[in-house]
Amino acid sequence: MPIISLPSRTQGVAEGGQLCLFGGKFTHRSWASSWAILPLNILYSGAGVILLLLTLTQIARAGGPRYVAGISYFNQGTVGMPLTWAQGTVNYYTDQGSLSPTVSGPQGDALVADAFSQWTSISTAALSVTHVGQLAEDVSGANVYRNSDGSITMPADIMPTATGTPVGIVYDVDGTVTDALLGQGAGDASECFGNAVFGGPDNFGTDAYFLHALVVLNGNCVPQLPDPDVEYRLVRVLGQVLGLGWSQMNLNVQTGNPPPTADDYVGFSIMHAVDLPGCVPIAKCYSNGGQVNPYQPKMDDQAALSRLYPGSTFSANTARIHGNVYFANASGQPGQGMQGVNVVARWIDPNTNQPSGAYASSSVSGFLFAGNVGTTVTGFNDSTGLPFNRYGSNEPMLEGFFDLAGLQIPNGGSIGQYQLTVEAVDPFWSGTMGPYQPWQVLPSGSSPSIIVNVTLGGDVPKDLVMQGSAAQKPDWFGPTTYNSPAPLPVAGDWAASLDPYGGLDYFWFSGQANRTLAVLVTALDALSAPSESKAQPVIGMWQLSDPGTFPAPANTPSAFNSSMFGTTMLNAQLLQATSFRVGIADIRGDGRPDYRYHARLLYGDHVTPTRASVGGGTALAIAGYGFQANTSVAVGSGNAALMAVSANQILVTASAKADGVQDITLTDPPSLASSVLSGVVTYGAGPNDILRLVAGSNPGTPVGGQAPNPIRVQVVAPDGITPVAGASVFFTATPAVAFAACSGGGSCTVLTDQSGQASSLVSVVTAGTITITVQLAPASYTSPQQVQTTLLGTESALDLSLLSPYAWIAQGATLNLTLTARVLSNGVPVNGRTVNYYLDKGSAKLNPPSATTNTNGYARSTLEISSLAGDVQVSVCVEPGDAPCSTFYGTAVPASSLRMQAVAGDLQLITVGPPFQPITVRITDTSTPPESVLGASVLFQSLLGRTNNDAPIVSSGDTTITRDPLPVILGMSQESLTSDANGLATMQPSTGGFTGALAILGTVTAGPGSLPFQLQSLWPLH
């Protein structure tokens, strides 16, 4: 695959194996064609406990039914129907053993019967619950145990497939069954707050009816009866067995805000989602000083059960309000349905005209709708491989639907008024209820309280349009699909919304191989602040040519996996150069107008130039997406100094590093998001660069004399043409010589110039054959490339050595050239010897024609040339007898044969403060190898100015900075120089007294050629 996910910080959800029958044992998963197996919904947290029975986190509904039939598993015609027991008939079987060491089995049966009666006594519900008999065994740790492979062995008649014993009630006398099912230690008496009673449905049919349920009572938690706390928990679990979900009613009983009234306790639903550990005994929190029975179903519970199992008198003896909660569209009319809003109806007491806390009921909007259908990003199946959309309807009219059937009119009345209000589902107290559980969404906008007139047997439709809610509006990039993604925004930074329902945003961009990137998506609230109570963004990435791999090959399995609040981050690696698709979705597959997000792609694509000098100071332009002012840049292991930053380009100055290939790492400090460009910049010599000996042949040279020709090498790229600047070249010789480039030392490292060349003159210190070796970056490579040449050191009673016996001089030049000779005797300088200079060819003057050697054996004469027309030749001889002699050769080079090489300083980017470095060029002829030309006229011309807003003039798309005219011109300058004996002409740039951020654009001209130079100083970023 062209992309893979890199390790990232993720928020995980502990998931265990699903209870399934396979070969008489529970295994991870098994399905038959006409039935399904549900997990036992266990809400418990404790050290050492394994939640083996909690696997499907998105199946429980609330504000009414716990489960709602979806589109992918159930029979046609059942979609959107709550799951119930067929005909409201529940037959249960109890354990043969004792409930606990001190409570008998019959006493346990009485407890179960009384708990069931709390539900069957609801007069408006058609529910028949019968204790048919006992299970076939005493269920205990002897027949329920965990196997070494993690599966669980248990009796056949309490298996999910045991439809002949539809509801099994297990008395776990010593906690060992609880240990087996929930993990070692879960059955201990210290864990009774969470594990005294647990269970629920674990099998249902395609006809949307429950087929089996299992309930376990932990005997370690029942030392004696009656025990109101155990019965309270049993009634709640049995409510789930019957198909009820959690509810949110009179939450102030738990929060204390506002302080609860007596009526609030009377109306506080037993099917609330969470109990605090401090509520021991339970009456401490919910009985209002013993005035209210905590485990007696309240009006909200009675209405919810009656909606599942409506009795013959349900409609006639109660009232109903139903409708939809809507977003407001741009004109204030109903727009998209809004899921996840708790709609509350409270009876208006005619005596006080105040809403009642006792006669109250609630319904979560969208409770029949599919809260999670999955996405192309994370896939459409859960961890067990089953589709998310097997629960909940996809009918748009149910997206914001609520149902408040079962409203009672107290005191024998037949008419009344109910106040209708809306509230958020509290993420802490009610996090596991509603279609959005476990990720609750804050409502958008608000709705004022409404008074609704009701009558017994009446049904009042009442839609609620949320005022000030987010309005649907198209994104600036237009609709996108998987097959038609939008181009990635140029800046790599954008804001949009996941809207409407099921809306995903897709973008494409081109990427390079061997890169990593980070995509960051922050969910936003109505004030554009980061939020974790709106969209739950997840990110996927595909190769653009991928026809559709779901989930995405690279994806974030959860939302908000980064260290930044409200932010999801995908780290991905690009393994080949191609185009890629990025998808952004809500993890539930949801979409609504208030699902705003801010996205950013942090990606470094390429760098210009791709070469940097070992000595540092090279300006690098990094191109990509999503750069910010605080983006840090590291080249290799060291940070690089930032010069300028825009959304698509970062300019840095490379620090000094050894030869070799380096990565560039871009990092976003707040999120630690990063993008790595692997192996994109080569310092000095690369592993496949080529070292060539350009010049190295010399005649025999007397000891103490300088060889006439320098040792010159060039480093070029693997293409054999492109020169490599700033590479380390190591000069050494055996036996030793004195290298001029090493300040007379026997070895040293020299950096190549911009033409890729490095050279040194050599002075002989030993007679005999000398091997000169030049190596390419030996400190970086174990087997460095090298070139060699030899030099013969000679000595006699009288030797003459000319320094620089060859010169190439620009035709027409007028100059003075010093001719230096050294007289030696067996390598020792000869003092006081006369040396004669004779003009053999050409027009020039020698001044003086004779000179006497000094104590170091040197004699000098000046060759005065005026408007050189042709070659010159001078013989240099030692008195007496003009022997020995040597010849100086001066070759005239016409202007048409002049060539120019950049040596240093033609591209500079610095911070304000230090001066610009000199600009140096070399003038050569056209020979092979080219020879340096003396006396050539070199013209430097430049403009000094400022850019708009001090914008950098470097472009990452070119190999040099741009040549756009400067909008603010401060001055112009030109300077004419003459190349020296090494062909070099050096100009020190001047800012003309101006300070601050400046730019100099100019041209160097010599002969028929010219070269640009561009310099800029920028204000420091930090």
Side-chain angles (χ1 to χ4, degrees):
M1 298 299 295
I3 57 176
I4 61 172
S5 264
L6 294 182
S8 62
R9 300 169 295 282
T10 60
Q11 295 174 338
V13 177
E15 295 187 350
Q18 183 176 347
L19 286 177
C20 295
L21 178 63
F22 186 80
K25 295 185 179 181
F26 283 94
T27 59
H28 179 69
R29 173 181 171 218
S30 178
W31 284 90
S33 60
S34 62
W35 56 272
I37 295 174
L38 291 173
L40 300 183
N41 188 34
I42 300 167
L43 181 61
Y44 176 80
S45 178
V49 177
I50 303 172
L51 304 183
L52 288 178
L53 307 182
L54 179 59
T55 57
L56 305 183
T57 62
Q58 287 288 309
I59 62 176
R61 320 302 293 182
R66 185 182 181 199
Y67 304 106
V68 176
I71 64 174
S72 64
Y73 170 76
F74 295 92
N75 294 339
Q76 189 174 6
T78 64
V79 176
M81 291 178 53
L83 271 63
T84 60
W85 293 94
Q87 289 79 51
T89 299
V90 180
N91 295 323
Y92 71 92
Y93 294 76
T94 55
D95 201 329
Q96 288 190 9
S98 297
L99 176 53
S100 76
T102 55
V103 179
S104 67
Q107 289 176 296
D109 292 348
L111 170 65
V112 173
D114 189 67
F116 264 125
S117 73
Q118 303 301 318
W119 298 109
T120 58
S121 62
I122 298 172
S123 62
T124 53
L127 185 64
S128 174
V129 178
T130 304
H131 182 199
V132 176
Q134 291 185 311
L135 297 170
E137 64 283 307
D138 175 5
V139 182
S140 68
N143 49 34
V144 178
Y145 52 87
R146 184 184 302 274
N147 301 296
S148 60
D149 62 358
S151 62
I152 300 174
T153 296
M154 56 197 305
D157 59 351
I158 60 172
M159 291 284 192
T161 52
T163 57
T165 52
V167 179
I169 309 292
V170 171
Y171 300 150
D172 181 14
V173 66
D174 56 4
T176 54
V177 174
T178 302
D179 282 346
L181 295 178
L182 300 186
Q184 190 61 39
D188 190 80
S190 63
E191 306 295 336
C192 288
F193 189 85
N195 296 340
V197 185
F198 61 94
D202 56 12
N203 191 352
F204 58 82
T206 57
D207 53 3
Y209 289 125
F210 293 124
L211 298 178
H212 189 266
L214 180 64
V215 177
V216 179
L217 285 78
N218 183 358
N220 284 335
C221 303
V222 195
Q224 63 183 14
L225 289 177
D227 187 327
D229 280 38
V230 171
E231 184 158 1
Y232 163 81
R233 290 177 170 80
L234 179 57
V235 171
R236 282 165 56 83
V237 170
L238 293 180
Q240 293 182 300
V241 168
L242 297 174
L244 287 175
W246 302 127
S247 181
Q248 179 175 295
M249 173 54 61
N250 295 346
L251 199 59
N252 62 317
V253 170
Q254 293 181 300
T255 65
N257 184 27
T261 66
D263 275 0
D264 291 336
Y265 285 97
V266 172
F268 179 63
S269 172
I270 189 176
M271 294 304 290
H272 57 273
V274 175
D275 289 322
L276 286 181
C279 291
V280 179
I282 208 69
K284 173 183 175 182
C285 293
Y286 306 143
S287 72
N288 191 25
Q291 300 301 308
V292 177
N293 182 351
Y295 60 77
Q296 184 177 35
K298 312 307 187 291
M299 178 182 144
D300 184 51
D301 306 307
Q302 297 167 24
L305 186 71
S306 299
R307 291 195 293 266
L308 287 180
Y309 304 96
S312 59
T313 64
F314 176 53
S315 296
N317 291 345
T318 61
R320 181 189 187 212
I321 303 173
H322 75 279
N324 278 271
V325 179
Y326 290 108
F327 284 89
N329 63 20
S331 57
Q333 299 302 307
Q336 181 179 335
M338 187 183 298
Q339 291 188 77
V341 180
N342 199 41
V343 183
V344 180
R346 300 181 185 275
W347 175 65
I348 299 296
D349 187 337
N351 296 320
T352 63
N353 287 324
Q354 295 299 311
S356 169
Y359 294 94
S361 184
S362 68
S363 175
V364 177
S365 63
F367 70 96
L368 297 177
F369 197 69
N372 182 4
V373 295
T375 74
T376 58
V377 170
T378 53
F380 299 101
N381 298 331
D382 64 16
S383 60
T384 69
L386 302 176
F388 288 114
N389 65 2
R390 66 192 187 278
Y391 298 105
S393 172
N394 61 349
E395 170 55 53
M397 288 303 298
L398 295 178
E399 188 173 5
F401 178 72
F402 65 90
D403 191 351
L404 290 166
L407 302 177
Q408 301 174 18
I409 301 178
N411 306 321
S414 60
I415 62 173
Q417 290 184 320
Y418 267 81
Q419 179 199 62
L420 213 59
T421 59
V422 298
E423 63 185 17
V425 176
D426 190 279
F428 176 78
W429 295 101
S430 307
T432 55
M433 65 170 274
Y436 282 140
Q437 64 88 20
W439 306 296
Q440 298 300 334
V441 179
L442 282 177
S444 179
S446 61
S447 177
S449 61
I450 299 172
I451 303 300
V452 181
N453 296 316
V454 299
T455 61
L456 292 183
D459 185 354
V460 181
K462 182 59 66 176
D463 292 336
L464 303 175
V465 179
M466 300 291 279
Q467 299 176 5
S469 61
Q472 186 178 40
K473 59 181 179 181
D475 288 316
W476 55 270
F477 48 80
T480 67
T481 65
Y482 182 86
N483 292 320
S484 298
L488 191 82
V490 173
D493 190 296
W494 70 99
S497 62
L498 298 171
D499 179 33
Y501 179 80
L504 283 81
D505 289 342
Y506 295 101
F507 305 90
W508 75 271
F509 71 100
S510 294
Q512 304 293 328
N514 301 316
R515 306 287 190 270
T516 70
L517 57 79
V519 185
L520 299 95
V521 178
T522 302
L524 304 176
D525 63 13
L527 299 177
S528 295
S531 172
E532 293 189 358
S533 56
K534 290 293 186 180
Q536 298 267 326
V538 288
I539 310 162
M541 197 167 171
W542 302 259
Q543 187 176 355
L544 190 61
S545 61
D546 189 325
T549 300
F550 311 127
N555 72 80
T556 54
S558 65
F560 309 135
N561 62 343
S562 78
S563 61
M564 295 182 65
F565 179 76
T567 300
T568 304
M569 181 167 64
L570 171 69
N571 294 315
Q573 182 179 9
L574 309 186
L575 300 182
Q576 68 182 52
T578 185
S579 295
F580 297 90
R581 175 191 293 105
V582 174
I584 300 172
D586 178 78
I587 194 171
R588 298 158 290 214
D590 195 21
R592 40 192 272 177
D594 59 341
Y595 279 6
R596 298 285 296 168
Y597 70 85
H598 173 215
R600 177 179 163 217
L601 171 68
L602 178 60
Y603 168 61
D605 186 79
H606 62 274
V607 62
T608 302
T610 59
R611 294 277 185 163
S613 172
V614 166
T618 304
L620 300 177
I622 305 162
Y625 293 101
F627 303 152
Q628 295 181 343
N630 62 352
T631 302
S632 66
V633 179
V635 181
S637 59
N639 290 332
L642 268 66
M643 306 296 295
V645 179
S646 67
N648 299 109
Q649 180 174 269
I650 298 179
L651 303 180
V652 299
T653 300
S655 57
K657 287 189 181 299
D659 298 83
V661 178
Q662 299 287 349
D663 300 341
I664 292 180
T665 302
L666 312 175
T667 304
D668 180 58
S671 65
L672 299 182
S674 65
S675 175
V676 178
L677 296 79
S678 297
V680 293
V681 61
T682 301
Y683 269 80
N688 298 311
D689 287 345
I690 301 168
L691 177 66
R692 290 175 175 166
L693 181 64
V694 176
S697 297
N698 276 290
T701 302
V703 174
Q706 179 178 281
N709 299 316
I711 308 301
R712 185 184 306 164
V713 296
Q714 185 182 34
V715 181
V716 294
D719 61 9
I721 299 173
T722 306
V724 175
S728 299
V729 175
F730 183 68
F731 286 84
T732 187
T734 304
V737 297
F739 288 104
C742 305
S743 300
S747 65
C748 67
T749 297
V750 178
L751 299 186
T752 57
D753 61 24
Q754 286 183 227
S755 66
Q757 296 187 46
S759 64
S760 180
L761 289 167
V762 177
S763 295
V764 177
V765 296
T766 304
T769 301
I770 302 165
T771 300
I772 298 172
T773 302
V774 184
Q775 293 182 316
L776 182 60
S780 296
Y781 302 106
T782 54
S783 298
Q785 292 190 48
Q786 67 179 33
V787 293
Q788 292 181 324
T789 187
T790 59
L791 174 63
L792 180 63
T794 63
E795 60 181 2
S796 66
L798 189 63
D799 290 317
L800 176 63
S801 174
L802 291 185
L803 273 65
S804 303
Y806 301 100
W808 285 260
I809 307 170
Q811 196 172 54
T814 296
L815 52 81
N816 294 332
L817 177 61
T818 300
L819 305 183
T820 302
R822 193 179 198 191
V823 180
L824 302 159
S825 176
N826 295 315
V828 177
V830 177
N831 183 28
R833 187 65 64 93
T834 299
V835 177
N836 298 320
Y837 293 83
Y838 304 103
L839 181 63
D840 297 332
K841 182 180 180 181
S843 176
K845 180 180 178 182
L846 290 166
N847 184 20
S850 296
T852 303
T853 59
N854 60 19
T855 57
N856 292 316
Y858 290 108
R860 294 178 177 86
S861 178
T862 300
L863 180 65
E864 299 175 350
I865 299 174
S866 178
S867 301
L868 179 68
D871 297 347
V872 293
Q873 184 173 317
V874 176
S875 293
V876 183
C877 301
V878 180
E879 287 287 0
D882 283 341
C885 289
S886 292
T887 303
F888 167 80
Y889 300 93
T891 303
V893 180
S896 61
S897 297
L898 296 179
R899 297 295 181 265
M900 186 163 44
Q901 298 173 348
V903 173
D906 64 332
L907 177 59
Q908 298 182 46
L909 194 64
I910 63 173
T911 57
V912 171
F916 290 111
Q917 295 298 308
I919 301 169
T920 302
V921 295
R922 177 185 292 112
I923 311 302
T924 68
D925 66 2
T926 57
S927 62
T928 302
E931 300 291 350
S932 298
V933 177
L934 168 67
S937 179
V938 182
L939 180 63
F940 292 81
Q941 295 176 302
S942 64
L943 293 177
L944 172 68
R946 303 190 200 273
T947 61
N948 284 329
N949 299 316
D950 296 326
I953 55 177
V954 172
S955 169
S956 60
D958 302 320
T959 56
T960 61
I961 59 180
T962 61
R963 296 301 312 279
D964 296 332
L966 292 171
V968 180
I969 303 297
L970 300 177
M972 303 174 61
S973 70
Q974 70 177 27
E975 184 175 356
S976 183
L977 301 176
T978 301
S979 59
D980 65 14
N982 295 311
L984 301 178
T986 299
M987 187 270 290
Q988 176 63 52
S990 171
T991 59
F994 291 97
T995 60
L998 300 167
I1000 299 175
L1001 300 181
T1003 302
V1004 187
T1005 303
S1010 64
L1011 291 175
F1013 61 89
Q1014 301 94 10
L1015 322 176
Q1016 187 172 20
S1017 61
L1018 298 173
W1019 290 110
L1021 287 178
H1022 304 295

